[in-house]
């Protein structure tokens, strides 16, 4: 366990996962103790609907064990899996890095990471921010893509039926475009953009991040076979997903997948995969070599890949002091042998794989030889305190795929299906609380997610509430007693992540496929800004018979989307009628600044040729103002407008901008009559109305 990593993010889950076998031993001991007591009271409850859960719209041709249930199945599902599916897919749009295309379904995400890769002279823009942070970790990203593409391979009809296929493929492609950019030549692969420690040290929206974002490369002498293999798997599975709709793209993906696989296999090393250490450390790559080869076999029909997939099975993790393939964990970014063995079982029909699949699924359901996963009292199969829902959703997907195959033991079909549905229902609200943002009446409002929170002050507590709704995000989940707190700093329970949603989307697609789905109208995440994004706050700083001095703060609290600006200015409008009446003019006024954080003061200028309405400009061009910290989002200027010494005619009280300026000695307050401009174009506030001719 590393202790040097700031525990500010769930990406450190790698630490909780660093020794799979150790954890499995602990779980096994727990399960042994708990299973006898729990199996009767809890599992009977959990699986009470085993006989009725398989109501089977669209199940023709599926194996025995599902028939006869429809008559006794529930008349209607408590949750709209179709709606949940559509929302869960949308989550990936909020995770996008790079230059965003037009036609976004939300109005609060903007371009970010536009210089990614520049440190190595390559274009690594695009991809997904990993979780509530902004690092692009390719291992979990590729795993997420592989799971999503797998679900298309299995249940494309469900995506079509719900009208979600285009959205899902579009989101997959956003990631695979990036993954292919990361592979500019055969034996060069960039496996990460962003230093997690630098990234995690700042709490703000992606659009305005200022930290260095180094990119990290693998070469034949400094390789990373797990991430290479996972990326190969993702691209091979994606090639299948695009095969009919975009064969050229499918071919491009497959070509990269083959090349990446060669790279992974010829090097067989994770020695160069170091920048994710403590966050997404790899505990082994032979599972990825089999998983990727299985997908390559499915995509190409080339028996060579099938041979490779099987060849590495002997190197998979095993149970302690045993040759039994490890079965007491679940499909996840670090361990994909669970998915690989399921594919191999279907491809080869060999019992060694089928038995291993059911050993794992039995561990998650009925127990295997007395070893059973822990269950919360309300029925969540609970593997880890760090993001338990992610394991439950992914395993529920595998259980569903297996139950849909003809290889599933007949007496397990209903068990695995009931398990899968119960886990999905737990996530969607069966305990009275939904764990998916935006779904149901009670859902997470304070997910550990920088861009959704959208602080302008580099603070989890400013503002008190998130400025954006992270629709479709599945958070980590509860503790072993179903206790969960919806707080922004609760990164173990309340952070969303790309890999969490991947298994969830896949599971929801299967449920939609099995239980029936309906078209979901196009979702939109268009929000109304909850605060003024740009404004000036002002107070009188000093005042005399011939002058006024204003203390003004130009604020950038943009969030729809957040935007870093270096061309902001504001104008302070005055009325010089009293000067004209005394025989003076605007030319008699002098301007000066006192304290000033970067503004150039100029003027006075006549407003639209008006004889009486003038303004002075405080121009912060060249000064970066952005919603990323106290001193970053707000820049101050104290400026004075003076009539000649010993005159008394100057009167600020009739000035347009003076109305609403806070009195001397008080805190500056927002003043909409001191308008803000970007590159000279009005952004916010009101100019004085034009005087009538
Ligand atoms: Ca692995
Ligand atoms: Ca005046």
């Amino acid at each position: 366990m590393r202790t040097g990593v700031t525990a500010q993010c769930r990406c450190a889950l790698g630490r909780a996962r660093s020794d799979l076998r150790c954890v499995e031993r602990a779980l096994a001991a727990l399960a042994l103790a708990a299973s006898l007591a729990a199996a009767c009271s809890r599992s009977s409850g959990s699986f009470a609907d085993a006989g009725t859960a398989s109501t089977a719209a669209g199940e023709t041709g599926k194996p025995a064990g599902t028939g006869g249930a429809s008559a006794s199945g529930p008349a209607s599902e408590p949750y709209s899996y179709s709606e949940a599916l559509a929302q869960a897919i949308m989550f990936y749009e909020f995770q996008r890095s790079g230059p965003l295309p037009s036609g976004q379904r939300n109005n609060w995400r903007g371009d970010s990471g536009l210089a990614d890769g520049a440190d190595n002279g390559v274009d690594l823009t695009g991809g997904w921010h990993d979780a509530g942070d902004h690092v692009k970790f390719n291992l979990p990203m590729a795993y997420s893509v592989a799971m999503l593409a797998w679900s298309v391979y299995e249940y494309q009809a469900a995506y079509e039926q719900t009208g979600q296929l285009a959205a899902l493929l579009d989101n997959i492609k956003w990631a695979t475009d990036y993954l292919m950019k990361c592979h500019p030549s055969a034996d060069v692969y960039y496996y990460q953009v962003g230093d997690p420690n630098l990234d995690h040290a700042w709490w703000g929206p992606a659009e305005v991040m200022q930290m260095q974002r180094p990119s990290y490369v693998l070469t034949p002498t400094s390789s990373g076979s797990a991430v290479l293999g996972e990326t190969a798997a993702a691209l091979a599975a994606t090639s299948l997903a695009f095969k009919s709709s975009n064969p050229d793209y499918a071919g491009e993906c497959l070509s990269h997948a083959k090349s990446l696989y060669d790279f992974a296999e010829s090097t067989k090393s994770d020695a160069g995969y170091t920048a994710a250490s403590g966050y997404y450390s790899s505990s082994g790559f032979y599972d990825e070599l089999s998983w990727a080869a299985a997908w390559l076999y499915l995509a190409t029909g080339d028996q060579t890949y099938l041979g490779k997939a099987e060849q590495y099975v002997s190197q998979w993790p095993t149970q302690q002091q045993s040759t039994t393939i490890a079965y007491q964990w679940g499909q996840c970014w670090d361990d994909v042998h669970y998915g690989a063995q399921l594919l191999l079982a279907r491809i080869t029909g060999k019992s060694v794989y089928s038995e291993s699949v059911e050993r794992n699924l039995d561990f998650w359901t009925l127990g295997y030889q007395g070893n059973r996963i822990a269950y919360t009292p309300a029925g969540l199969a609970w593997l880890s305190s760090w993001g338990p829902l992610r394991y439950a959703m992914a395993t529920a997907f595998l259980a569903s795929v297996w139950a849909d195959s003809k290889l599933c033991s007949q007496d397990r079909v209903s068990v695995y299906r009931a398990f899968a549905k119960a886990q999905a229902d737990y996530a969607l609200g069966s305990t009275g609380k939904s764990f998916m943002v935006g779904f149901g009446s009670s859902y997470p409002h304070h997910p550990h997610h920088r861009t959704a929170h959208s602080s302008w002050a580099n603070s989890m507590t400013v503002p008190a509430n998130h400025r954006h709704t992270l629709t479709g995000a599945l958070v980590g989940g509860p503790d072993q007693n179903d206790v969960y707190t919806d707080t922004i700093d609760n990164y173990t329970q309340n952070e969303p992540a790309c890999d969490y949603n991947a298994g969830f989307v896949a599971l929801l697609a299967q449920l939609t496929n099995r239980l029936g789905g309906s078209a979901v109208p196009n979702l939109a995440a268009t929000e109304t800004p909850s605060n003024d994004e740009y404004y000036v706050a002002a107070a009188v700083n000093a005042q005399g018979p011939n002058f006024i001095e204003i203390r003004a703060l130009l604020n950038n609290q943009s969030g729809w989307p957040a935007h870093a600006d270096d061309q902001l200015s504001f104008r302070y409008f005055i009325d010089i009628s009293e000067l004209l009446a005394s025989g003076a003019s605007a030319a008699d006024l002098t301007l000066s600044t006192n304290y000033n954080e970067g503004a150039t003061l100029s003027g006075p200028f006549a407003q639209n040729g008006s004889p009486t309405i003038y303004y002075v400009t405080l121009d912060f061009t060249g000064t970066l103002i952005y919603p990323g910290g106290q001193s970053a989002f707000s820049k101050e200027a104290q400026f004075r407008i003076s009539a000649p010494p010993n005159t008394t005619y100057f009167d600020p009280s009739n000035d347009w901008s003076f109305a609403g300026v806070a009195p001397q000695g008080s805190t500056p307050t927002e003043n909409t009559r001191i308008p803000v401009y970007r590159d000279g174009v009005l952004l916010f506030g009101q100019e004085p109305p034009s005087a009538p001719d």
Side-chain angles (χ1 to χ4, degrees):
M1 300 289 165
R2 286 185 43 152
T3 54
V5 176
T6 305
Q8 205 184 23
C9 169
R10 139 272 185 235
C11 305
L13 67 81
R15 290 172 292 166
R17 183 62 187 81
S18 61
D19 186 341
L20 169 63
R21 289 178 214 185
C22 172
V23 174
E24 285 192 332
R25 282 200 301 277
L27 269 172
L30 276 173
L32 272 169
S35 62
L36 289 179
C40 295
S41 59
R42 293 179 190 166
S43 77
S44 60
S46 298
F47 302 112
D49 61 346
T52 60
S54 47
T55 310
E59 262 193 27
T60 49
K62 289 296 194 296
T66 64
S70 57
S72 58
S76 62
E77 295 301 331
Y79 307 107
S80 169
Y81 299 119
S82 306
E83 186 77 25
L85 176 64
Q87 292 189 12
I89 291 169
M90 183 185 254
F91 166 72
Y92 289 96
E93 273 142 81
F94 303 128
Q95 296 301 103
R96 287 183 177 186
S97 179
L100 302 188
S102 58
Q104 292 287 298
R105 296 194 288 179
N106 70 77
N107 65 336
W108 56 269
R109 281 306 325 283
D111 298 349
S112 65
L114 298 181
D116 285 2
D119 59 324
N120 278 305
V122 288
D123 173 12
L124 300 180
T125 57
W128 295 326
H129 302 134
D130 176 61
D133 60 342
H134 303 134
V135 180
K136 298 194 291 200
F137 288 109
N138 288 25
L139 180 54
M141 193 192 305
Y143 163 79
S144 304
V145 168
M147 292 297 286
L148 294 170
W150 185 7
S151 74
V152 176
Y153 179 70
E154 303 289 341
Y155 304 116
Q156 181 165 336
Y159 290 111
E160 289 169 346
Q161 190 177 5
T162 54
Q164 300 306 312
L165 183 61
L168 181 65
L169 291 180
D170 189 46
N171 280 312
I172 288 174
K173 187 170 182 294
W174 189 262
T176 49
D177 283 352
Y178 162 77
L179 292 174
M180 289 191 283
K181 283 182 183 178
C182 289
H183 185 222
S185 60
D187 52 8
V188 173
Y189 181 70
Y190 292 90
Y191 68 94
Q192 184 172 319
V193 178
D195 174 332
N197 296 330
L198 288 179
D199 184 283
H200 291 196
W202 177 77
W203 187 265
E207 291 81 2
V208 300
M209 57 187 169
Q210 303 292 320
M211 81 290 286
Q212 294 293 310
R213 285 172 63 81
S215 51
Y216 302 92
V217 71
L218 301 175
T219 64
T221 55
S222 180
S223 189
S225 291
V227 66
L228 290 167
E230 191 63 66
T231 308
L235 291 170
T238 297
S239 78
L240 287 164
F242 278 93
K243 198 169 184 175
S244 59
S245 62
N246 191 343
D248 288 348
Y249 192 72
E252 197 182 337
C253 290
L254 188 56
S255 172
H256 279 276
K258 290 175 181 175
S259 176
L260 285 160
Y261 191 82
D262 288 346
F263 189 176
E265 194 191 26
S266 63
T267 52
K268 289 193 182 68
S269 167
D270 276 335
Y273 177 76
T274 54
S277 187
Y279 294 85
Y280 290 99
S281 304
S282 165
S283 66
F285 52 78
Y286 286 105
D287 55 322
E288 281 84 8
L289 291 183
S290 289
W291 166 243
W295 280 113
L296 281 161
Y297 169 72
L298 292 172
T300 63
D302 183 345
Q303 293 285 335
T304 309
Y305 287 118
L306 180 55
K308 292 175 188 295
E310 294 203 77
Q311 177 189 337
Y312 296 118
V313 172
S314 63
Q315 305 293 322
W316 289 358
T318 57
Q319 292 301 117
Q320 189 70 11
Q321 296 178 327
S322 157
T323 57
T324 304
I325 296 170
Y327 65 88
Q328 294 179 10
W329 200 259
Q331 175 84 347
C332 65
W333 60 266
D334 188 33
D335 191 351
V336 287
H337 88 266
Y338 297 101
Q341 68 190 5
L342 194 157
L343 296 179
L344 287 174
R346 290 199 313 196
I347 293 166
T348 68
K350 292 179 183 174
S351 59
V352 61
Y353 305 124
S354 297
E355 287 167 5
S356 190
V357 168
E358 295 201 354
R359 215 174 282 132
N360 174 238
L361 297 178
D362 281 356
F363 171 75
W364 278 79
T365 53
L366 302 173
Y368 177 77
Q369 293 186 348
N371 296 320
R372 184 168 176 265
I373 193 173
Y375 269 77
T376 68
L380 175 65
W382 192 91
L383 188 62
S384 162
S385 60
W386 206 305
L389 283 168
R390 142 269 306 260
Y391 299 107
M393 297 305 110
T395 301
F397 172 67
L398 266 63
S400 302
V401 173
W402 186 249
D404 284 350
S405 85
K406 294 182 165 55
L407 294 170
C408 184
S409 295
Q410 207 166 331
D411 64 350
R412 291 295 193 270
V413 171
S414 59
V415 172
Y416 295 160
R417 286 186 172 164
F419 159 76
K421 182 175 178 298
Q423 299 307 299
D425 288 351
Y426 189 101
L428 293 174
S430 64
T431 63
K433 172 168 280 298
S434 157
F435 292 91
M436 183 170 89
V437 176
F439 191 84
S441 55
S442 174
Y443 59 79
H445 283 79
H446 301 278
H448 182 82
H449 192 281
R450 286 162 177 73
T451 303
H453 178 227
S454 196
S455 176
W456 53 80
N458 186 20
S459 168
M460 285 193 209
T461 58
V462 179
N465 294 309
H466 285 44
R467 293 205 281 172
H468 308 301
T469 302
L470 195 65
T471 300
L474 179 72
V475 299
D479 72 9
Q480 204 171 338
N481 294 306
D482 300 304
V483 176
Y484 153 85
T485 53
D486 177 19
T487 50
I488 192 170
D489 58 348
N490 186 2
Y491 45 83
T492 59
Q493 296 189 326
N494 210 30
E495 184 169 8
C498 290
D499 66 304
Y500 293 12
N501 261 58
F504 191 37
V505 165
L507 174 61
L508 291 167
Q510 193 278 342
L511 287 166
T512 303
N513 187 66
R514 182 159 66 85
L515 302 172
S518 52
V520 177
N522 287 336
L523 296 179
T526 306
E527 300 176 346
T528 302
S530 56
N531 61 274
D532 292 334
E533 298 185 87
Y534 297 88
Y535 65 91
V536 170
V540 174
N541 206 44
Q543 191 167 5
N546 69 322
F547 73 90
I548 185 78
E549 183 174 299
I550 303 293
R551 179 185 177 212
L553 296 125
L554 174 54
N555 294 288
N556 176 353
Q557 298 178 7
S558 56
W560 289 269
H563 191 270
D565 282 278
D566 62 0
Q567 291 186 302
L568 294 181
S569 64
F570 68 83
R571 294 178 188 174
Y572 186 89
F573 286 89
I574 59 174
D575 183 331
I576 64 160
S577 300
E578 74 275 14
L579 275 71
L580 300 177
S582 301
S585 74
D588 291 303
L589 296 175
T590 57
L591 307 177
S592 59
T593 61
N594 182 12
Y595 182 74
N596 180 3
E597 295 181 326
T600 300
L601 173 61
S602 61
F605 307 106
Q607 167 75 342
N608 298 331
S610 166
T612 55
I613 306 301
Y614 280 70
Y615 61 89
V616 300
T617 295
L618 281 293
D619 186 350
F620 284 87
T621 295
T623 298
L624 193 63
I625 309 177
Y626 65 100
Q630 283 293 341
S631 62
F633 81 81
S634 185
K635 295 294 182 187
E636 181 171 347
Q638 298 174 5
F639 61 96
R640 181 177 291 207
I641 304 170
S642 305
N646 304 316
T647 61
T648 57
Y649 51 74
F650 183 74
D651 176 14
S653 68
N654 63 345
D655 296 345
W656 170 260
S657 293
F658 187 75
V661 171
Q664 190 169 347
S666 60
T667 302
T669 53
E670 178 173 340
N671 190 320
T672 61
R673 287 185 167 207
I674 306 178
V676 179
Y677 303 78
R678 177 189 290 142
D679 195 19
V681 177
L682 181 66
L683 263 185
F684 175 82
Q686 292 95 46
E687 296 182 342
S690 298
D693 291 332

